[in-house]
């Protein structure tokens, strides 16, 4: 009979790795669900056919500020609001002819406002969608879909039972130029003084869920969103990133800078159409319409019925969405506590293993540098390949872009596998300790500089550290499969959305080259590499620990049998 490591039959060894591989595929598949567009369902609030009709009318042609085309769109919106029984008004200012389309120095910028009074308002809930475009696009996704959804939202509110709070629908003009002329003008309108919370609807791509991109305010806003939504798509790593780069360049900037609590939403997948002629009616997706519309309806249904003064309360949460539309949130302070616990556990692991001579501290330190070096290699190779691809195919479609991501994943996975098999074969457990040290350093950096994103590394680190400490107790041959699978079940759901989101942010946008960020693919590659080596090193160290314990137990039993026979 052939044998595997430490006397374990090779067939048993292969079956364990086969089962572990299958479990990884299942966990990875489940982990991607939260960033997919929720499927169509029978939402009574969202009339997709009506929204489509509005989009077809609004996005018939480009309609930048100050043109006769946007005047046509303006009259359409006013007519639809009147038909829904809503009283509306306009707010007009003059602004520079930013695009030079009107043949003059200045043009009219005209906001459209509609207010639905509540029973006993504690403040106004403001929903915002800009209705202008750049000259190069009809703007079916950016931003006719949001405009159409807000028209239908107003119709639903008007026909239903009165809410507690006032609801204001704001259709801004002049959003596309960086000064955000319309939103800035609204802050001088008398209604602006009553706004207690704001929700801005945007789109960059042709598909994807209506994801929370920015947060203004703290835990009460996040808690309200979580309570409101049946299908939340929100990650504090995203809002933390937006905060670090100074915002997502939309009308929401104006409200955030004015200190108004709220959320900014956008779709990202398929951003190659952004600000191009391809952002046309035939690139509209019913699932995206429904999720954006359902999000707006849910927000109004919740925030329209609560005392809005509580939104000014302090407190910050880390939050993320899991499969099954489960939104997890907890105080950011928990992340710091988990980091300290992980550092303590890693120190204990090093001392205990060194004393038992199962670990060389020098080898572990060397392995941590090897992990960093190969991480840089993976990031460099993966980023170069992506930048090359988008340079050759600037209008790459959604399916083709994910095919490219798979190629990059295979490359990164190959480097990670080589590291685990090569260094793991030489240094044993020290590779896992080296990987944990790298995770600890990077997690500490996030806790210090981007605490809202730190959960992505801290919780997998904590679970992997516990797994490493408990390995001497893994006395069943399949115990390592369970232990490594638990690490994967924590690491993949937290990191896969990061990988996907930064991949989308790295997508080409030929209609707006200034917004292209192809180099942020490095975050996706680094995150993918780190999680691959963490899971791989845990599995390898665990399988060896289990084999060793089982082999020693088997030898002891054999010895006792021999003695008994003698």
């Amino acid at each position: 009979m052939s044998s595997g490591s430490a006397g374990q039959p090779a067939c048993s060894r292969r079956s364990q790795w086969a089962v572990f591989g299958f479990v990884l595929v299942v966990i990875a598949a489940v982990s991607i669900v939260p960033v997919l567009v929720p499927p169509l369902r029978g939402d009574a609030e969202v009339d997709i056919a009506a929204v489509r009709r509005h989009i077809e009318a609004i996005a018939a042609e480009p309609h930048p500020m100050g043109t006769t085309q946007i005047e046509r769109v303006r009259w359409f919106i006013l007519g639809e609001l009147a038909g829904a029984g809503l009283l509306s008004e306009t707010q007009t200012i003059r602004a520079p002819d930013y695009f030079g389309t009107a043949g003059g120095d200045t043009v009219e910028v005209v906001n459209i406002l509609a207010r639905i009074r509540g029973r006993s308002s504690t403040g106004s809930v403001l929903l915002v969608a800009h209705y202008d475009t750049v000259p190069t696009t009809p703007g079916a996704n950016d931003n006719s879909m949001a405009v159409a959804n807000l028209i239908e939202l107003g119709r639903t509110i008007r026909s239903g039972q009165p809410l507690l709070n006032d609801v204001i629908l704001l259709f801004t003009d002049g959003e596309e130029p960086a000064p955000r002329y319309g939103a800035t003008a609204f802050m001088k309108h008398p209604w602006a003084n009553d706004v207690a919370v704001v929700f801005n609807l945007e789109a960059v791509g042709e598909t994807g869920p209506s994801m929370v991109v920015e947060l203004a305010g703290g835990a009460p806003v996040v808690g309200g969103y979580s309570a409101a939504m049946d299908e939340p798509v929100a990650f504090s790593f995203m809002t933390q990133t937006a905060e670090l780069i100074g915002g997502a360049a939309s009308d929401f900037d104006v409200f955030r800078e004015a200190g108004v609590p709220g959320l900014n939403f956008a779709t990202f997948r398929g951003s190659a159409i952004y600000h191009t002629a391809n952002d046309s009616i035939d690139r509209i997706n019913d699932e995206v319409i429904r999720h954006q519309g359902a999000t707006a309806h849910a927000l109004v249904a919740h925030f329209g019925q609560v005392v809005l003064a509580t939104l000014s309360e302090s407190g910050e949460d880390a939050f993320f969405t899991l499969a099954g539309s489960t939104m997890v949130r907890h105080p950011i302070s928990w992340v710091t506590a988990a980091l300290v616990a992980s550092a303590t556990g890693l120190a204990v692991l090093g001392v205990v293993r060194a004393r038992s001579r199962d670990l060389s501290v020098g080898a572990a330190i060397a392995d941590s540098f090897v992990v960093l070096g190969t991480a840089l290699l993976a990031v460099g190779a993966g980023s170069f390949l992506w930048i090359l691809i988008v340079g050759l195919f600037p209008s790459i479609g959604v399916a083709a872009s994910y095919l490219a991501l798979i190629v990059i994943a295979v490359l990164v996975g190959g480097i990670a596998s080589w590291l685990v098999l090569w260094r793991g074969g030489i240094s044993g457990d020290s590779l896992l300790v080296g990987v944990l040290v790298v995770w600890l350093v990077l997690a500490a950096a996030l806790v210090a500089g981007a605490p809202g994103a730190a959960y992505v590394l801290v919780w997998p680190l904590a679970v992997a550290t516990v797994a490493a400490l408990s390995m001497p107790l893994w006395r069943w041959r399949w115990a390592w499969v369970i232990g490594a699978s638990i690490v994967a079940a924590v690491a993949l759901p937290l990191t896969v959305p990061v990988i996907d989101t930064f991949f989308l942010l790295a997508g080409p946008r030929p209609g707006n080259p200034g917004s292209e960020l192809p180099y942020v693919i490095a975050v996706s590659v680094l995150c993918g590499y780190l999680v691959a080596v963490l899971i791989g090193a845990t599995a390898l160290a665990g399988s060896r620990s289990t084999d060793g314990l089982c082999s020693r137990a088997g030898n002891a039993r054999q010895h006792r049998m021999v003695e008994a026979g003698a």
Side-chain angles (χ1 to χ4, degrees):
M1 178 186 293
S2 64
S3 62
S5 174
Q8 180 177 177
C11 57
S12 175
R13 183 82 165 186
R14 285 195 297 268
S15 63
Q16 289 172 2
W17 282 100
V19 169
F20 180 58
F22 175 76
V23 171
L24 286 184
V25 171
V26 172
I27 296 173
V30 172
S31 300
I32 197 69
V33 170
V35 293
L36 299 177
V37 187
L40 284 174
R41 67 182 196 185
D43 291 273
E45 302 92 345
V46 183
D47 187 339
I48 294 175
V51 173
R52 271 194 170 274
R53 287 195 298 270
H54 298 330
I55 296 172
E56 289 171 0
I58 296 168
E61 58 188 339
H63 41 279
M65 54 182 262
T67 62
T68 57
Q69 288 81 10
I70 199 168
E71 185 176 358
R72 176 193 63 78
V73 172
R74 184 180 309 131
W75 282 111
F76 174 82
I77 296 171
L78 289 167
E80 290 299 319
L81 293 174
L86 297 172
L87 296 176
S88 59
E89 62 178 71
T90 58
Q91 177 193 24
T92 304
I93 64 167
R94 295 203 69 84
D97 185 7
Y98 189 88
F99 296 114
T101 54
D105 293 332
T106 62
V107 296
E108 280 192 344
V109 172
V110 184
N111 291 333
I112 302 170
L113 306 88
R115 186 168 190 161
I116 307 163
R117 295 287 180 178
R119 303 187 310 272
S120 181
S121 186
T122 65
S124 296
V125 179
L126 175 65
L127 291 103
V128 185
H130 73 88
Y131 72 99
D132 64 311
T133 69
V134 296
T136 54
T137 181
N141 287 278
D142 177 27
N143 199 35
S144 301
M145 179 171 59
V147 172
N149 264 318
L150 288 196
I151 291 172
E152 287 305 303
L153 172 64
R155 192 186 309 277
T156 301
I157 299 172
R158 181 69 178 81
S159 63
Q161 293 297 316
L163 299 170
L164 174 68
N165 299 315
D166 292 359
V167 176
I168 299 173
L169 304 179
L170 172 61
F171 304 88
T172 59
D173 191 1
E175 186 273 348
E176 291 295 357
R180 320 296 169 208
Y181 296 119
T184 302
F186 174 76
M187 296 308 296
K188 300 177 182 178
H189 191 280
W191 292 358
N193 297 325
D194 302 328
V195 174
V197 65
V198 59
F199 303 109
N200 184 58
L201 303 182
E202 266 283 5
V204 176
E206 62 182 295
T207 186
S210 195
M211 176 190 294
V212 173
V213 178
E214 290 182 87
L215 164 67
V221 178
V222 176
Y225 171 79
S226 178
M229 294 294 297
D230 290 332
E231 300 166 322
V233 184
F235 305 91
S236 57
F237 78 79
M238 184 69 238
T239 59
Q240 179 74 82
T241 301
E243 180 181 339
L244 290 174
I245 64 176
S250 71
D251 278 339
F252 191 77
D253 294 352
V254 175
F255 301 102
R256 184 192 66 248
E257 291 166 6
V260 182
L263 298 168
N264 188 22
F265 298 85
T267 60
F268 284 106
R269 194 163 288 120
S271 65
I273 68 167
Y274 183 58
H275 285 187
T276 71
N278 290 326
D279 187 6
S280 55
I281 296 164
D282 61 345
R283 305 299 277 270
I284 288 291
N285 184 301
D286 284 353
E287 288 87 354
V288 179
I289 289 176
R290 190 205 65 80
H291 189 246
Q292 187 188 69
T295 297
H297 282 82
L299 292 170
V300 167
H302 177 80
F303 287 93
Q305 299 284 30
V306 300
V307 177
L308 295 176
T310 60
L311 297 181
S312 60
E313 296 175 0
S314 60
E316 288 186 86
D317 282 350
F319 51 90
F320 48 91
T321 305
L322 300 175
S325 298
T326 301
M327 185 169 168
V328 178
R329 60 190 185 94
H330 59 73
I332 283 183
S333 59
W334 289 15
V335 176
T336 304
L339 178 69
V340 172
S342 298
T344 304
L346 188 54
V348 170
L349 175 66
V351 171
V352 171
R353 291 293 181 90
R355 284 182 175 177
S356 64
R357 298 187 178 182
D358 291 332
L359 175 71
S360 165
V361 175
I365 294 173
D367 278 341
S368 66
F369 282 102
V370 172
V371 171
L372 281 174
T374 51
L376 292 175
L377 173 64
V379 168
S383 300
F384 173 78
L385 182 57
W386 174 248
I387 292 172
L388 177 65
I389 289 170
V390 297
L392 294 173
F393 307 101
S395 298
I396 190 170
V398 175
S401 68
Y402 275 93
L403 181 60
L405 180 61
I406 291 172
V407 172
I408 294 171
V410 170
L411 172 65
V412 172
I415 296 174
S417 299
W418 169 78
L419 170 69
V420 170
L421 294 175
W422 169 58
R423 291 300 297 181
I426 296 174
S427 55
D429 291 350
S430 68
L431 174 62
L432 176 57
V433 175
V435 170
L436 292 175
V437 168
V438 171
W439 272 72
L440 178 66
V441 171
L442 295 177
L446 283 182
V447 168
Y455 74 89
V456 174
L457 296 185
V458 169
W459 294 122
L461 169 66
V463 173
T465 301
V466 171
L469 284 167
S470 65
M471 281 179 188
L473 304 177
W474 295 2
R475 299 183 179 278
W476 179 45
R477 291 194 188 278
W478 286 80
W480 74 266
V481 177
I482 297 173
S485 295
I486 291 173
V487 172
V490 174
L492 287 173
L494 297 184
T495 54
V496 166
V498 178
I499 295 168
D500 182 70
T501 300
F502 277 90
F503 169 67
L504 298 179
L505 294 176
R509 289 179 280 279
N512 190 355
S515 70
E516 291 184 327
L517 303 167
Y519 51 85
V520 301
I521 191 69
V523 177
S524 296
V525 176
L526 177 61
C527 199
Y529 182 77
L530 288 174
V531 76
V533 295
L534 179 71
I535 295 171
T538 301
L540 185 63
S543 66
R544 287 183 169 178
S545 177
T546 303
D547 287 348
L549 288 170
C550 293
S551 178
R552 288 193 293 272
N555 290 338
R557 284 193 299 270
Q558 269 191 333
H559 183 67
R560 287 195 297 270
M561 291 173 64
V562 169
E563 287 182 339

Coordinates of all heavy atoms in Angstrom, one line a residue, residues 465-519:
T465 N -5.5 32.7 14.0 CA -4.6 32.6 15.2 C -5.1 31.6 16.2 O -4.4 30.7 16.7 CB -4.5 34.0 15.9 OG1 -3.9 34.9 15.0 CG2 -3.5 33.9 17.1
V466 N -6.4 31.6 16.4 CA -7.1 30.5 17.3 C -6.8 29.1 16.7 O -6.5 28.2 17.4 CB -8.6 30.8 17.4 CG1 -9.3 29.7 18.1 CG2 -8.8 32.1 18.2
A467 N -7.0 29.0 15.3 CA -6.8 27.7 14.7 C -5.3 27.3 14.9 O -5.1 26.1 15.2 CB -7.1 27.8 13.2
A468 N -4.4 28.2 14.8 CA -3.0 27.8 14.9 C -2.7 27.4 16.4 O -1.9 26.4 16.6 CB -2.1 29.0 14.5
L469 N -3.3 28.1 17.3 CA -3.1 27.7 18.8 C -3.7 26.4 19.1 O -3.2 25.7 20.0 CB -3.7 28.8 19.6 CG -2.9 30.1 19.8 CD1 -3.8 31.2 20.4 CD2 -1.7 29.9 20.6
S470 N -4.8 26.0 18.4 CA -5.5 24.8 18.8 C -5.0 23.6 18.0 O -5.5 22.5 18.3 CB -7.0 25.0 18.5 OG -7.2 25.2 17.1
M471 N -4.1 23.8 17.1 CA -3.7 22.6 16.3 C -3.1 21.4 17.1 O -3.3 20.3 16.7 CB -2.6 23.1 15.2 CG -3.2 23.8 14.0 SD -2.0 24.3 12.8 CE -3.0 25.2 11.7
P472 N -2.4 21.6 18.2 CA -2.0 20.5 19.0 C -3.1 19.6 19.5 O -2.9 18.5 19.9 CB -1.2 21.1 20.1 CG -0.7 22.4 19.6 CD -1.8 22.9 18.7
L473 N -4.4 20.1 19.4 CA -5.5 19.4 19.9 C -6.2 18.6 18.8 O -7.2 17.9 19.0 CB -6.5 20.3 20.7 CG -5.9 21.1 21.8 CD1 -7.0 22.0 22.4 CD2 -5.4 20.2 22.9
W474 N -5.8 18.8 17.5 CA -6.5 18.2 16.4 C -6.0 16.8 16.3 O -5.0 16.5 15.6 CB -6.1 19.0 15.1 CG -6.7 20.4 15.1 CD1 -7.3 21.1 16.1 CD2 -6.6 21.4 14.1 NE1 -7.6 22.4 15.8 CE2 -7.2 22.6 14.5 CE3 -6.0 21.3 12.8 CZ2 -7.3 23.7 13.7 CZ3 -6.1 22.5 12.0 CH2 -6.7 23.6 12.4
R475 N -6.7 15.9 16.9 CA -6.3 14.5 17.0 C -7.0 13.6 16.0 O -6.8 12.4 15.9 CB -6.5 13.9 18.4 CG -5.6 14.7 19.4 CD -5.7 14.1 20.8 NE -4.9 14.9 21.7 CZ -3.6 14.7 21.9 NH1 -3.0 13.8 21.2 NH2 -2.9 15.5 22.7
W476 N -8.0 14.1 15.3 CA -8.7 13.4 14.2 C -8.2 13.8 12.9 O -7.9 14.9 12.6 CB -10.2 13.7 14.3 CG -11.1 13.0 13.3 CD1 -11.0 11.7 13.0 CD2 -12.1 13.6 12.6 NE1 -12.0 11.4 12.0 CE2 -12.7 12.6 11.8 CE3 -12.7 14.9 12.5 CZ2 -13.7 12.8 10.9 CZ3 -13.7 15.1 11.6 CH2 -14.2 14.1 10.8
R477 N -8.0 12.8 12.0 CA -7.3 13.0 10.7 C -8.0 14.1 9.9 O -7.4 14.8 9.1 CB -7.2 11.7 9.9 CG -6.3 10.7 10.5 CD -6.0 9.6 9.5 NE -5.2 8.5 10.0 CZ -3.9 8.6 10.2 NH1 -3.2 9.6 9.9 NH2 -3.3 7.5 10.7
W478 N -9.4 14.2 10.0 CA -10.1 15.2 9.3 C -10.2 16.6 10.0 O -10.9 17.5 9.5 CB -11.5 14.7 8.9 CG -11.5 13.6 7.8 CD1 -11.1 12.3 8.0 CD2 -11.7 13.8 6.5 NE1 -11.2 11.7 6.8 CE2 -11.6 12.6 5.8 CE3 -12.1 14.9 5.7 CZ2 -11.8 12.4 4.5 CZ3 -12.3 14.7 4.3 CH2 -12.2 13.5 3.7
A479 N -9.6 16.7 11.2 CA -9.8 17.9 11.9 C -9.2 19.1 11.2 O -9.8 20.2 11.3 CB -9.1 17.7 13.3
W480 N -8.1 18.9 10.5 CA -7.5 20.1 9.8 C -8.5 20.6 8.7 O -8.5 21.8 8.4 CB -6.2 19.7 9.2 CG -6.2 18.8 7.9 CD1 -6.2 17.5 7.9 CD2 -6.4 19.3 6.6 NE1 -6.2 17.0 6.6 CE2 -6.4 18.1 5.8 CE3 -6.5 20.5 6.0 CZ2 -6.5 18.1 4.4 CZ3 -6.6 20.6 4.6 CH2 -6.6 19.4 3.8
V481 N -9.2 19.7 8.0 CA -10.2 20.1 7.0 C -11.2 21.0 7.6 O -11.6 22.1 7.1 CB -10.9 18.9 6.3 CG1 -11.9 19.4 5.3 CG2 -9.8 18.0 5.7
I482 N -11.7 20.7 8.8 CA -12.7 21.5 9.5 C -12.1 22.8 9.9 O -12.7 23.9 9.7 CB -13.3 20.7 10.7 CG1 -14.0 19.5 10.3 CG2 -14.2 21.6 11.5 CD1 -14.4 18.6 11.4
G483 N -10.9 22.8 10.5 CA -10.3 24.0 11.0 C -9.9 24.9 9.9 O -10.2 26.1 10.0
A484 N -9.3 24.5 8.8 CA -9.0 25.3 7.7 C -10.3 25.9 7.0 O -10.3 27.0 6.5 CB -8.1 24.6 6.7
S485 N -11.3 25.0 7.0 CA -12.6 25.5 6.4 C -13.2 26.6 7.2 O -13.8 27.5 6.6 CB -13.6 24.3 6.3 OG -13.1 23.3 5.4
I486 N -13.1 26.5 8.5 CA -13.6 27.6 9.4 C -12.9 28.9 9.1 O -13.5 30.0 9.0 CB -13.5 27.2 10.8 CG1 -14.5 26.1 11.2 CG2 -13.8 28.4 11.7 CD1 -14.3 25.5 12.6
V487 N -11.5 28.8 8.9 CA -10.8 30.0 8.6 C -11.2 30.6 7.3 O -11.4 31.8 7.1 CB -9.2 29.7 8.5 CG1 -8.4 30.9 8.0 CG2 -8.7 29.3 9.9
A488 N -11.4 29.7 6.3 CA -11.9 30.1 5.0 C -13.3 30.7 5.0 O -13.6 31.7 4.3 CB -11.9 29.0 4.0
A489 N -14.1 30.2 5.9 CA -15.5 30.6 6.0 C -15.6 32.0 6.6 O -16.6 32.7 6.5 CB -16.3 29.7 6.9
V490 N -14.6 32.4 7.3 CA -14.5 33.8 7.8 C -13.8 34.7 6.8 O -14.2 35.8 6.5 CB -13.8 33.8 9.2 CG1 -13.6 35.3 9.7 CG2 -14.6 33.1 10.2
A491 N -12.7 34.2 6.3 CA -11.8 35.1 5.5 C -12.4 35.4 4.1 O -12.4 36.6 3.7 CB -10.5 34.4 5.2
L492 N -13.0 34.4 3.4 CA -13.5 34.7 2.1 C -14.7 35.6 2.1 O -14.8 36.5 1.2 CB -13.8 33.3 1.4 CG -12.6 32.5 1.0 CD1 -13.0 31.1 0.5 CD2 -11.8 33.2 -0.1
P493 N -15.7 35.4 2.9 CA -16.9 36.4 2.9 C -16.5 37.8 3.1 O -17.2 38.7 2.7 CB -17.8 35.8 3.9 CG -17.5 34.4 4.1 CD -16.0 34.3 3.8
L494 N -15.4 38.0 3.9 CA -15.0 39.4 4.2 C -14.1 40.0 3.1 O -14.1 41.2 2.9 CB -14.2 39.4 5.5 CG -15.1 39.0 6.8 CD1 -14.2 39.2 8.0 CD2 -16.3 39.9 6.8
T495 N -13.3 39.1 2.4 CA -12.3 39.6 1.5 C -12.9 39.6 0.0 O -12.4 40.5 -0.8 CB -11.0 38.8 1.5 OG1 -11.3 37.4 1.4 CG2 -10.3 39.1 2.9
V496 N -13.7 38.7 -0.3 CA -14.2 38.6 -1.7 C -14.9 39.9 -2.1 O -14.7 40.4 -3.3 CB -15.1 37.4 -1.9 CG1 -15.9 37.5 -3.2 CG2 -14.3 36.1 -1.9
P497 N -15.8 40.5 -1.3 CA -16.4 41.8 -1.7 C -15.3 42.9 -1.9 O -15.5 43.8 -2.8 CB -17.3 42.1 -0.6 CG -17.7 40.8 0.0 CD -16.4 40.0 -0.1
V498 N -14.2 42.9 -1.2 CA -13.2 43.8 -1.3 C -12.5 43.6 -2.7 O -12.3 44.6 -3.5 CB -12.1 43.7 -0.2 CG1 -11.0 44.7 -0.4 CG2 -12.8 44.0 1.1
I499 N -12.2 42.4 -3.0 CA -11.6 42.0 -4.3 C -12.4 42.5 -5.4 O -12.0 43.1 -6.4 CB -11.3 40.5 -4.3 CG1 -10.3 40.1 -3.3 CG2 -10.8 40.1 -5.7 CD1 -10.1 38.6 -3.1
D500 N -13.7 42.2 -5.4 CA -14.6 42.5 -6.4 C -14.8 44.0 -6.6 O -14.8 44.6 -7.7 CB -16.0 41.8 -6.2 CG -17.0 42.1 -7.3 OD1 -16.7 41.6 -8.4 OD2 -17.9 42.9 -7.1
T501 N -15.0 44.7 -5.5 CA -15.2 46.2 -5.5 C -14.1 46.9 -6.1 O -14.2 47.8 -6.9 CB -15.6 46.7 -4.1 OG1 -16.8 46.0 -3.6 CG2 -15.9 48.2 -4.1
F502 N -12.9 46.6 -5.6 CA -11.7 47.3 -6.1 C -11.4 47.0 -7.6 O -10.9 47.8 -8.4 CB -10.5 47.1 -5.2 CG -10.4 48.0 -4.1 CD1 -11.0 47.7 -2.9 CD2 -9.9 49.3 -4.1 CE1 -11.0 48.5 -1.8 CE2 -9.8 50.1 -3.1 CZ -10.4 49.8 -1.9
F503 N -11.8 45.7 -7.9 CA -11.7 45.3 -9.4 C -12.6 46.2 -10.2 O -12.2 46.7 -11.3 CB -12.1 43.9 -9.5 CG -12.3 43.4 -10.9 CD1 -11.2 43.4 -11.8 CD2 -13.5 43.1 -11.4 CE1 -11.4 43.0 -13.1 CE2 -13.7 42.6 -12.7 CZ -12.7 42.6 -13.6
L504 N -13.8 46.5 -9.7 CA -14.8 47.3 -10.4 C -14.3 48.8 -10.5 O -14.4 49.4 -11.5 CB -16.2 47.3 -9.8 CG -16.8 45.9 -9.7 CD1 -18.2 46.0 -9.0 CD2 -17.0 45.4 -11.1
L505 N -13.7 49.2 -9.4 CA -13.2 50.6 -9.4 C -12.0 50.7 -10.3 O -11.7 51.8 -10.8 CB -12.7 51.0 -7.9 CG -13.8 51.1 -6.9 CD1 -13.2 51.3 -5.5 CD2 -14.8 52.2 -7.3
A506 N -11.3 49.6 -10.6 CA -10.2 49.7 -11.5 C -10.6 49.5 -13.0 O -9.7 49.6 -13.9 CB -9.2 48.5 -11.2
G507 N -11.9 49.4 -13.2 CA -12.3 49.2 -14.6 C -12.1 50.5 -15.5 O -12.0 51.6 -15.0
P508 N -12.1 50.3 -16.8 CA -11.8 51.4 -17.7 C -13.1 52.2 -17.8 O -14.2 51.7 -17.8 CB -11.5 50.7 -19.0 CG -12.2 49.4 -18.9 CD -12.2 49.0 -17.5
R509 N -12.9 53.5 -18.0 CA -14.0 54.5 -18.2 C -13.6 55.5 -19.3 O -13.2 56.6 -19.0 CB -14.4 55.2 -16.9 CG -15.1 54.3 -15.9 CD -15.4 55.0 -14.6 NE -14.3 55.1 -13.7 CZ -13.8 54.2 -12.9 NH1 -14.5 53.0 -12.9 NH2 -12.8 54.3 -12.2
P510 N -13.6 55.0 -20.6 CA -13.1 55.8 -21.7 C -13.8 57.1 -21.8 O -13.3 58.1 -22.4 CB -13.2 54.9 -22.9 CG -14.2 53.9 -22.5 CD -14.1 53.7 -21.1
G511 N -15.1 57.2 -21.4 CA -15.8 58.4 -21.5 C -15.4 59.5 -20.4 O -15.8 60.6 -20.6
N512 N -14.6 59.1 -19.4 CA -14.2 60.0 -18.4 C -12.8 59.5 -17.9 O -12.7 59.0 -16.8 CB -15.2 60.0 -17.3 CG -14.9 61.1 -16.3 OD1 -13.9 61.8 -16.4 ND2 -15.8 61.3 -15.3
P513 N -11.8 59.6 -18.7 CA -10.5 59.1 -18.4 C -9.9 59.6 -17.1 O -9.2 58.9 -16.4 CB -9.6 59.6 -19.6 CG -10.5 59.8 -20.7 CD -11.8 60.3 -20.1
G514 N -10.4 60.8 -16.7 CA -9.9 61.3 -15.4 C -10.3 60.6 -14.2 O -9.8 60.7 -13.1
S515 N -11.4 59.8 -14.4 CA -11.9 59.0 -13.2 C -11.4 57.6 -13.2 O -11.7 56.8 -12.4 CB -13.5 58.9 -13.3 OG -13.9 58.1 -14.4
E516 N -10.6 57.2 -14.2 CA -10.0 55.8 -14.3 C -9.0 55.6 -13.2 O -8.1 56.5 -13.0 CB -9.4 55.6 -15.7 CG -10.5 55.5 -16.7 CD -9.9 55.2 -18.1 OE1 -8.7 55.6 -18.4 OE2 -10.6 54.5 -18.9
L517 N -9.0 54.5 -12.5 CA -8.1 54.1 -11.5 C -7.6 52.7 -11.7 O -7.8 51.8 -10.8 CB -8.8 54.3 -10.1 CG -9.4 55.6 -9.8 CD1 -10.3 55.5 -8.5 CD2 -8.3 56.6 -9.5
P518 N -7.0 52.4 -12.8 CA -6.6 51.0 -13.0 C -5.6 50.4 -12.0 O -5.6 49.2 -11.8 CB -6.0 51.0 -14.4 CG -5.5 52.4 -14.6 CD -6.6 53.3 -13.9
Y519 N -4.8 51.3 -11.4 CA -3.8 50.8 -10.5 C -4.4 50.3 -9.2 O -3.8 49.6 -8.4 CB -2.8 52.0 -10.2 CG -3.5 53.2 -9.8 CD1 -3.8 53.5 -8.4 CD2 -3.7 54.2 -10.7 CE1 -4.5 54.7 -8.0 CE2 -4.4 55.4 -10.3 CZ -4.7 55.6 -9.0 OH -5.3 56.8 -8.6

